């Protein structure tokens, strides 16, 4: 009897999937297209040769989940991987590693580690070219998408219907536009880069809407004053420079300023494009929780030191990167927020992804996923 009822339900569900359970069985997003930098690169930079930073291709990168280095700048999955999982989609294939017969209809990842929102020309002119990891800026990633588009959909009607159920992530990108002047120690340049970087993110978001995107998530920057890299490079003897979490106030201020300008510009973009749903992802708020109360999120080894790196006050040393000989990794990355000095651990990324997908760190909220992560 039980089996009979199950069979009836199963065949009913099979024949009339839309009618039986329109929302619970069909995920709201059928595809994800991602643009960005190392926060979401799932292999493009490594595939392109990773000449300026080959260490990400070495162990212990990837050790926690994939058991080998995949080109992701972490010990395991990134936020984009958790978001794809939540919507029942496969991990996004990196654009530069697509094979001839690969299914691209569930999404593609255009992000490249080290990428900037502004074109490389801007940094070359500012004398910062030696710091650039890659020249595959946001505009180049957009061109890749435009070239691929005819393989995704053809007629306007076809594209409208397909992109209506596609999620576009525009970033996080813009973080490196600030990082490169910081690497060079030029704070004047850092501050001068904020506005043009925000404008570049907005222009790309607008271009994607013109291409047919309707659901867009645009992330802001992290609290970079709590980043291992900044804490090491800008270590200060002056207690006043730090907040109660041990983060550098000035650098958190630069990130907050970037986010404020981005939010204002997104509001204008929403008014101009009522046909699109433009969401803001609050990486700053989501990550700040870890620094205020690390143990509450399982980060029992503290939030400021890197799990993997060279000798230094925060387990980071720019002459011995994680993955280079002489570096050391902690036994269990899930008790750390920071993975390699610049990037976060899988555990931290999972927690932020939960805060985006399940709320409250995306506004307006992402569509409800079939699986809570
Ligand atoms: C820092 O950047 C500013 C603005 O681009 C530039 O005028 C200045 O020469 C730079 N300073 C150094 C030390 O490179
Ligand atoms: C970084 O490592 C080098 C040796 O490779 C060492 O001389 C230097 O003191 C270290 N830096 C810090 C900040 O500890
Ligand atoms: C790592 O730490 C997490 C959180 O404390 C724990 O759940 C997990 O079992 C640990 N893994 C190993 C391999 O020790």
């Amino acid at each position: 009897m039980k089996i009979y009822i199950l069979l009836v339900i199963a065949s009913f569900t099979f024949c009339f999937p839309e009618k039986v359970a329109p929302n619970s069985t069909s995920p709201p997003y059928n595809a994800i297209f991602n643009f960005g930098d190392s926060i979401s690169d799932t292999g493009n930079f490594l595939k392109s040769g990773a000449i300026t930073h080959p260490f990400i291709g070495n162990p212990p990168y990837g050790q926690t989940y994939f058991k080998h280095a995949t080109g992701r700048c972490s010990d395991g999955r990134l936020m984009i991987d958790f978001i794809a999982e939540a919507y029942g989609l496969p991990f996004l294939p990196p654009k530069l590693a697509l094979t001839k017969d690969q299914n691209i209809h569930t999404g593609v990842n255009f992000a490249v580690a080290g990428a900037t929102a502004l074109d490389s020309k801007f940094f070359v002119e500012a004398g910062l070219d030696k710091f650039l990891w890659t020249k595959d800026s946001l505009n180049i990633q957009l061109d890749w998408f435009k070239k691929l588009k005819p393989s995704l959909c053809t007629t306007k009607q076809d594209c409208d219907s397909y992109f209506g159920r596609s999620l576009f992530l525009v970033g996080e990108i813009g973080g490196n536009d600030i990082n490169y002047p910081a690497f060079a120690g030029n704070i004047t340049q850092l501050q001068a880069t904020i506005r043009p970087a925000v404008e570049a993110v907005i222009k790309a978001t607008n271009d994607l809407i013109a291409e047919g995107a309707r659901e867009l998530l645009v992330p802001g920057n992290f609290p970079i004053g709590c980043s291992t890299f900044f804490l090491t490079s800008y270590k200060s003897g002056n207690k006043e420079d730090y907040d109660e979490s041990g983060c550098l106030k000035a650098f958190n201020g630069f990130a907050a300023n970037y986010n404020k300008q981005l939010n204002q510009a997104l509001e204008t973009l929403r008014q101009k494009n009522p046909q699109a749903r433009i969401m803001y992802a609050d990486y700053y708020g989501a990550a700040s929780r870890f620094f205020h109360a690390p143990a509450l999120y399982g980060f029992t080894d503290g939030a400021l030191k890197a799990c993997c790196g060279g000798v230094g006050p925060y387990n980071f040393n720019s002459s011995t990167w994680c993955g280079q000989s002489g570096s050391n990794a902690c036994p269990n990355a899930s008790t750390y927020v920071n993975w390699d000095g610049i990037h976060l651990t899988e555990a931290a990324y999972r927690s932020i992804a939960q805060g985006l997908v399940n709320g409250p760190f995306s506004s307006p909220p992402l569509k409800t996923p079939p699986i809570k992560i």
Side-chain angles (χ1 to χ4, degrees), residues 298-300 331-335:
F299 302 119
T300 46
N332 188 346
S334 69
T335 59

Side-chain angles (χ1 to χ4, degrees), residues 126 186 188-189 192:
N186 192 335
T188 313
Q189 177 69 50

Side-chain angles (χ1 to χ4, degrees), residues 36-293:
D37 57 24
S38 56
I39 303 302
S40 61
D41 180 3
T42 52
N44 285 317
F45 180 63
L46 191 60
K47 186 71 187 176
S48 74
I51 296 178
T52 52
H53 211 87
F55 330 115
I56 64 151
N58 298 342
Y61 280 92
Q63 67 172 11
T64 302
Y65 185 79
F66 299 99
K67 310 297 176 195
H68 69 276
T70 61
R72 287 170 176 79
C73 293
S74 186
D75 59 306
R77 287 162 289 182
L78 308 178
M79 285 183 265
I80 187 67
D81 297 313
F82 289 112
I83 293 170
E85 277 181 1
Y87 291 103
L89 298 169
F91 292 150
L92 303 191
K95 152 73 176 83
L96 299 179
L98 290 179
T99 54
K100 202 164 80 46
D101 299 320
Q102 193 141 13
N103 174 16
I104 54 172
H105 286 87
T106 51
V108 175
N109 194 350
F110 301 95
V112 183
T116 45
L118 290 158
D119 288 338
S120 60
K121 185 170 171 278
F122 180 94
F123 300 95
V124 172
E125 282 170 2
L128 298 171
D129 31 329
K130 71 170 177 182
F131 298 100
L132 281 184
W133 283 27
T134 178
K135 292 186 171 173
D136 292 332
S137 64
L138 186 52
N139 268 331
I140 290 179
Q141 297 176 26
L142 268 181
D143 281 345
W144 290 343
F145 170 74
K146 288 177 190 170
K147 289 206 178 84
L148 203 65
K149 194 177 153 187
S151 318
L152 294 166
C153 60
T154 44
T155 64
K156 182 170 186 315
Q157 195 184 9
D158 183 21
C159 290
D160 283 353
S161 139
Y162 176 60
F163 289 140
R165 294 174 71 88
S166 299
L167 175 63
F168 287 79
L169 272 93
V170 194
E172 179 279 327
I173 191 154
N176 287 324
D177 300 63
I178 294 178
N179 288 343
Y180 293 136
F183 290 177
N186 192 335
I187 300 301
T188 313
Q189 177 69 50
L190 184 160
Q191 287 179 295
T193 306
I194 292 177
R195 176 155 290 279
V198 165
E199 283 166 1
V201 174
I202 295 296
K203 183 179 176 299
T205 309
N206 195 53
D207 282 1
L208 283 169
I209 295 170
E211 293 291 332
R214 288 297 173 265
E215 295 274 331
L216 305 103
L217 184 70
V218 186
N221 202 350
F222 291 96
I224 56 174
C226 308
S227 150
T228 309
F229 171 81
F230 284 92
L231 287 165
T232 307
S233 310
Y234 289 91
K235 197 170 185 314
S236 161
N238 186 356
K239 275 178 100 175
E240 302 277 285
D241 291 341
Y242 295 90
D243 69 14
E244 68 287 354
S245 304
C247 303
L248 288 162
K249 286 184 207 165
F251 286 93
N252 276 352
F254 297 140
N257 180 18
Y258 175 94
N259 292 341
K260 188 176 155 204
Q261 294 197 31
L262 179 63
N263 260 301
Q264 285 168 348
L266 286 176
E267 193 45 43
T268 309
L269 200 60
R270 283 186 193 107
Q271 282 159 15
K272 282 192 201 149
N273 296 281
Q275 77 280 25
R277 226 164 63 87
I278 305 171
M279 298 165 272
Y280 173 71
D282 180 14
Y283 286 6
Y284 191 105
S288 287
R289 301 173 301 167
F290 307 151
F291 305 109
H292 289 142

